[in-house]
Amino acid sequence: MALMIWEDKYSVNVNEVDGQHQEIFRLVNALDDSLLEDRAIIAERLNALVAYVVEHFNTEEKYMQETNYPEYEAHKKMHDDLVTQVAAIQAKFNAGETEITGEITAFVRDWLYKHIPNIDKEYGPHLNEKGIK
Ligand code: FE2
Ligand code: FE2
């Protein structure tokens, strides 16, 4: 069963960003579906998710900076905090010190379910006003 399901309420009204968010949902689901597989498969999916999330955060931060978005610093800090937490889990997993569990994928899901419709969505009108749609 898919852990994350896309709904219209997650749209930030910027096509590129919506597409990236949908890809993140797909990658979280792929990781969650692999939890009973070999560690190599889990590692591969975890790496794919982390790399894509970092790329996505860079995209959002680029748009926020380019448009002088007033909440840029606070927003970037939330991104950095998540990456720090997930990178620590990833390092422990790669060192064989922990497993990736449903609790971890649920943590990522909950973070995204809260961040996208509350924090990301707030830059939508600002970016739209600057011609980014
Ligand atoms: Fe986002
Ligand atoms: Fe964000």
Side-chain angles (χ1 to χ4, degrees):
M1 205 183 70
L3 185 70
M4 299 196 73
I5 295 165
W6 181 262
E7 290 177 57
D8 285 346
K9 69 178 179 187
Y10 298 121
S11 172
V12 300
N13 279 314
V14 177
N15 276 330
E16 184 185 359
V17 174
D18 283 348
Q20 289 185 347
H21 285 153
Q22 286 166 358
E23 177 66 6
I24 290 171
F25 278 38
R26 198 187 67 74
L27 292 167
V28 171
N29 287 336
L31 174 61
D32 190 62
D33 285 343
S34 75
L35 296 184
L36 299 177
E37 307 279 350
D38 291 344
R39 290 180 72 87
I41 295 172
I42 299 172
E44 202 175 285
R45 294 189 183 191
L46 178 62
N47 291 348
L49 172 63
V50 173
Y52 194 80
V53 165
V54 168
E55 188 183 322
H56 165 66
F57 286 170
N58 287 339
T59 301
E60 285 189 353
E61 289 162 18
K62 182 192 70 165
Y63 282 140
M64 287 190 278
Q65 269 194 309
E66 279 174 5
T67 60
N68 296 313
Y69 184 57
E71 298 302 318
Y72 167 74
E73 293 291 346
H75 195 141
K76 179 174 167 33
K77 187 176 183 318
M78 291 177 212
H79 288 170
D80 290 347
D81 286 348
L82 181 74
V83 171
T84 300
Q85 286 184 76
V86 173
I89 293 166
Q90 187 181 27
K92 272 183 120 182
F93 176 72
N94 288 337
E97 291 165 7
T98 192
E99 300 303 322
I100 302 300
T101 63
E103 261 175 55
I104 291 170
T105 53
F107 162 75
V108 173
R109 173 200 62 196
D110 292 346
W111 191 94
L112 292 163
Y113 273 175
K114 201 172 157 199
H115 183 84
I116 294 171
N118 293 298
I119 307 300
D120 284 347
K121 213 181 173 97
E122 281 188 347
Y123 64 56
H126 175 83
L127 262 50
N128 291 162
E129 222 171 80
K130 308 277 178 178
I132 301 164
K133 288 173 179 165

